[in-house]
């Protein structure tokens, strides 16, 4: 290809640009915000929230940016392994999962490193501008119009490939509908989640702990709820990043004292940080109303040479930490598609089928868990009650048994699809564990 244009230069756009750089002479990343070194664009307010990277997301990061973990750690990020990574369910420490590993870094820190790597690619350039429309010619996306931003003037770019990485509120659908195309069907689930993140000065109060993550039990028939859900991660700059989350009326607010009170009702590690460490700056909140995904493969027609990645494609409940990993996996699907040397005049159905299979796994996992919330009203998939009954037992068994938890975490980390939890050997092991044999 002569040119690929990536609209949006945040996490999804950076991965797409890296992949496209293997196939296009010139890759242009257009973004009004995510170009500067600080990476704290107005349009990505969730950047201030704690971001955890699933192991699959980490693997993809290394795949496309070899050596970046080492670089991140050299610059101050932490890499937690084994006992440094602790998961709790209703206050009970879960059995160790083999291969547990997690990076401790803030999102801006991670993204700035990524951006530096992408900017160093010879055939990639960043343009500080806002994409304002799609040029569609002969049924294919032939370019992008942009508006001036800062000192740079707006212009129109011709392209062989256009990537929408403009996030959850991408205007692409409106542009397409305005030009006589159909909007992609949407799946959505209202979850009404509230998030709050605060930073604390980190000393030696928790030894080598890098991650402590506590989630509520699926049902309280095993043990009453004793702790609040929450997570802390050791990040660069000698800080802890602590996140609390709650649904509907129980969303955490920005009040510092209230945040500390809630932290003191969490597992020991989080309580210790509340008691011994100084909070730095303010509590930042974020409200996430619904999970949403677009299903382009169900359309009958779509412009050729146009693909959608990241949150513009699917944006799911952040509690499960899937977003960054999904953005990286979309780039993988894009790479697989581009390696087939596709005709830009034809819609990228092959890409959409590949990426939707990946999104499907993440969607199944997150929405199944969300449906257990009393205020979430559906839609319920067929067989939901039976699936939930089995999932609840598996979750309980994962607290008590390493082998069950290892498989469970492989699915949570998107290394295996959700159907891996239906393996009869795993289920029979879970039954034996629950019966105490
Ligand atoms: C509260 C919260 C917590 C989260 N925690 C996690 C987590 O722990 N782990 C995880 O993996 N994921 C997490 N996520 C999800 C993660 O933030 C997203 O999946 C991720 O940001 C998606 O990246 P993206 O590049 O697709 O979109 P975004 O990051 O939203 O970026 C979109 C980009 O498009 C640009 N843009 C917008 N309009 C235009 C335009 N007209 N022209 C050009 N550019 C434009 C914006 O400036 C921005 O840079 C969380 C999300 C939320 C809301």
């Amino acid at each position: 290809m002569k040119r690929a244009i990536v609209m949006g230069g945040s996490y999804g756009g950076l991965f797409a640009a890296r992949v496209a750089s293997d196939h296009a002479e010139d890759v242009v990343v257009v973004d009004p915000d995510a170009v500067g070194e600080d990476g704290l664009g107005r349009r990505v307010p969730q950047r201030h929230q704690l971001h955890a990277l699933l192991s699959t997301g980490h693997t993809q990061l290394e795949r496309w940016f070899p050596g970046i973990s080492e670089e991140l750690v050299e610059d101050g990020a932490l890499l937690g392994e084994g006992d440094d990574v602790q998961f709790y369910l209703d206050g009970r420490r879960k059995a160790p999962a083999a291969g547990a590993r997690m990076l401790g870094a803030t999102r801006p820190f991670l993204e700035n490193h990524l951006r530096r790597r992408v900017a160093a690619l010879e055939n990639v350039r960043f343009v500080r501008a806002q994409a304002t429309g799609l040029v569609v010619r002969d049924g294919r996306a032939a370019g992008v119009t942009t508006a001036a931003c800062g000192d740079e003037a707006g212009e129109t770019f011709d392209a062989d490939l256009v990537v929408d990485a403009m996030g959850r509120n991408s205007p692409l659908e409106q542009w397409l509908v305005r030009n006589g195309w159909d909007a992609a069907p949407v799946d959505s689930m209202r979850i009404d989640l509230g998030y709050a993140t605060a930073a604390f000065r980190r000393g030696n109060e928790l030894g080598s702990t890098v991650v402590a993550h506590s989630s509520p039990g699926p049902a309280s028939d095993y043990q009453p709820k004793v702790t609040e859900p929450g997570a802390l991660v050791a990040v660069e700059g000698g800080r802890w990043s602590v996140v609390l989350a709650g649904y509907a009326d129980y969303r955490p607010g920005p009040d510092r004292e209230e945040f500390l009170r809630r932290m003191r009702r969490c597992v020991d590690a989080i309580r210790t940080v509340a008691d011994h460490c100084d909070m730095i700056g303010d509590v930042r909140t974020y409200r996430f109303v619904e999970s949403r995904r677009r299903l382009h493969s169900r359309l009958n027609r779509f412009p050729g040479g146009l693909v959608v990645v990241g949150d513009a494609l699917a944006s799911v409940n952040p509690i499960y930490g899937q977003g960054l990993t999904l953005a990286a996996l979309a780039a993988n699907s894009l790479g697989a598609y581009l390696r087939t040397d596709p005709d830009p005049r034809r819609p990228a159905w092959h890409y959409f089928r590949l990426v939707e299979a990946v999104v499907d796994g993440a969607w199944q996992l997150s929405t199944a868990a969300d449906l257990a919330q009393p205020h979430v009203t559906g839609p319920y998939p067929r067989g939901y009650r039976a699936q939930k009954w089995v999932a609840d037992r598996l979750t309980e068994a994962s607290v008590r048994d390493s082998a069950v938890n290892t498989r469970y975490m492989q699915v949570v980390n998107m290394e295996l699809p959700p159907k891996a939890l239906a393996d009869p050997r795993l289920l029979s092991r879970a039954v034996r564990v629950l019966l105490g044999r």
Side-chain angles (χ1 to χ4, degrees):
M1 289 184 293
K2 274 207 155 37
R3 181 181 293 143
I5 306 236
V6 181
M7 303 182 290
S10 174
Y11 205 84
L14 292 171
F15 262 88
R18 165 66 193 86
V19 170
S21 73
D22 287 343
H23 302 270
E25 288 169 24
D26 182 26
V27 178
V28 183
V29 181
V30 178
D31 195 309
D33 281 351
V35 182
E37 266 293 291
D38 68 355
L40 292 173
R42 275 177 300 122
R43 289 169 178 78
V44 190
Q46 78 265 28
R47 275 205 184 101
H48 301 289
Q49 301 296 329
L50 174 66
H51 273 62
L53 189 61
L54 302 182
S55 63
T56 297
H58 195 174
T59 306
Q60 296 309 321
L61 189 66
E62 270 296 324
R63 174 186 175 189
W64 292 104
F65 303 93
I68 195 165
S69 307
E70 218 176 298
E71 227 173 271
L72 285 159
V73 170
E74 262 169 30
D75 290 350
L78 292 99
L79 194 57
E81 280 172 314
D83 240 18
D84 310 338
V85 181
Q86 300 150 18
F87 281 84
Y88 297 82
L89 188 86
D90 264 350
R92 292 172 298 157
R93 176 96 183 255
K94 290 187 79 179
R101 204 167 83 111
M102 225 160 163
L103 193 69
T106 62
R107 161 107 189 239
F109 183 81
L110 173 62
E111 202 170 313
N112 282 342
H113 279 75
L114 211 62
R115 187 177 310 109
R116 234 173 280 152
R117 281 289 195 99
V118 174
L121 297 168
E122 258 179 13
N123 58 342
V124 178
R125 59 194 162 113
F126 287 84
V127 173
R128 187 154 180 252
Q130 178 164 353
T132 50
L134 202 61
V135 179
V136 184
R137 208 178 296 132
D138 302 328
R140 55 168 285 231
V144 170
T145 56
T146 68
C149 213
D151 296 337
E152 294 182 43
E155 56 183 306
T156 299
F157 293 93
D158 290 336
D160 302 301
L161 174 75
V162 177
V163 181
D164 173 12
M166 291 184 285
R168 200 176 152 79
N169 298 317
S170 163
L172 180 76
E173 292 275 303
Q174 284 120 282
W175 299 347
L176 288 173
V177 170
R178 213 187 302 142
N179 283 295
W181 299 85
D182 294 329
V186 173
D187 268 352
S188 63
M189 183 175 285
R190 190 181 163 84
I191 57 168
D192 200 6
L193 171 77
Y195 240 64
T197 295
F200 292 81
R201 225 171 287 290
R202 178 160 53 84
N204 205 21
E205 50 286 324
L206 295 178
S208 65
T209 300
V210 173
V211 177
H213 179 284
S214 169
S215 42
S220 294
D221 48 352
Y222 289 104
Q223 192 164 312
K225 281 200 176 60
V226 285
T227 56
E228 290 248 0
L232 72 76
V233 178
V235 298
E236 79 281 354
R239 290 172 296 164
W240 293 110
S241 183
V242 177
V243 67
L244 301 176
Y247 290 99
D249 294 338
Y250 200 57
R251 294 189 307 273
D255 184 78
R256 290 163 66 100
E257 289 309 315
E258 176 55 23
F259 192 88
L260 288 168
R261 265 196 298 276
R262 271 174 92 142
M263 278 177 75
R264 291 191 178 103
R265 296 196 294 264
C266 290
V267 289
D268 280 352
I270 298 178
R271 203 178 314 145
T272 301
V273 170
D275 287 341
H276 298 284
C277 305
D278 293 332
M279 193 188 280
I280 311 166
D282 294 328
V283 176
R284 312 289 290 249
T285 58
Y286 188 99
R287 189 171 180 185
F288 186 95
V289 176
E290 64 168 21
S291 294
R292 191 192 304 150
R293 68 168 171 174
R294 297 195 167 89
L295 296 148
H296 297 81
S297 67
R298 294 202 192 151
L299 288 165
N300 292 322
R301 48 195 285 276
F302 195 69
L306 177 62
V307 298
V308 183
V309 301
D311 273 16
L313 185 72
S315 160
V316 290
N317 184 341
I319 283 242
Y320 312 110
Q322 297 167 321
L324 301 180
T325 299
L326 277 177
L329 291 172
N332 263 8
S333 301
L334 179 61
Y337 165 71
L338 292 177
R339 284 195 294 278
T340 64
D341 202 9
D343 180 346
R345 289 168 304 182
R346 303 176 70 91
W349 299 131
H350 177 52
Y351 163 75
F352 285 115
R353 275 193 296 271
L354 288 175
V355 77
E356 283 172 21
V358 176
V359 170
D360 217 43
W363 184 262
Q364 272 180 42
L365 211 64
S366 74
T367 55
D370 289 340
L371 282 170
Q373 296 293 330
H375 73 285
V376 175
T377 54
Y380 290 89
R382 211 176 320 153
Y384 169 73
R385 272 171 183 275
Q387 281 168 26
K388 175 168 165 24
W389 192 88
V390 175
D392 286 356
R393 265 79 211 156
L394 260 181
T395 306
E396 173 59 22
S398 75
V399 178
R400 306 186 196 175
D401 184 70
S402 269
V404 175
N405 196 33
T406 298
R407 174 65 69 90
Y408 186 92
M409 290 309 289
Q410 283 170 331
V411 172
V412 168
N413 275 305
M414 293 174 69
E415 290 166 19
L416 294 174
K419 70 174 182 215
L421 295 179
D423 178 349
R425 279 167 307 176
L426 176 75
L427 295 177
S428 74
R429 184 171 179 110
V431 170
R432 288 200 305 277
V433 168
L434 293 178
L435 293 175
R437 286 184 201 152

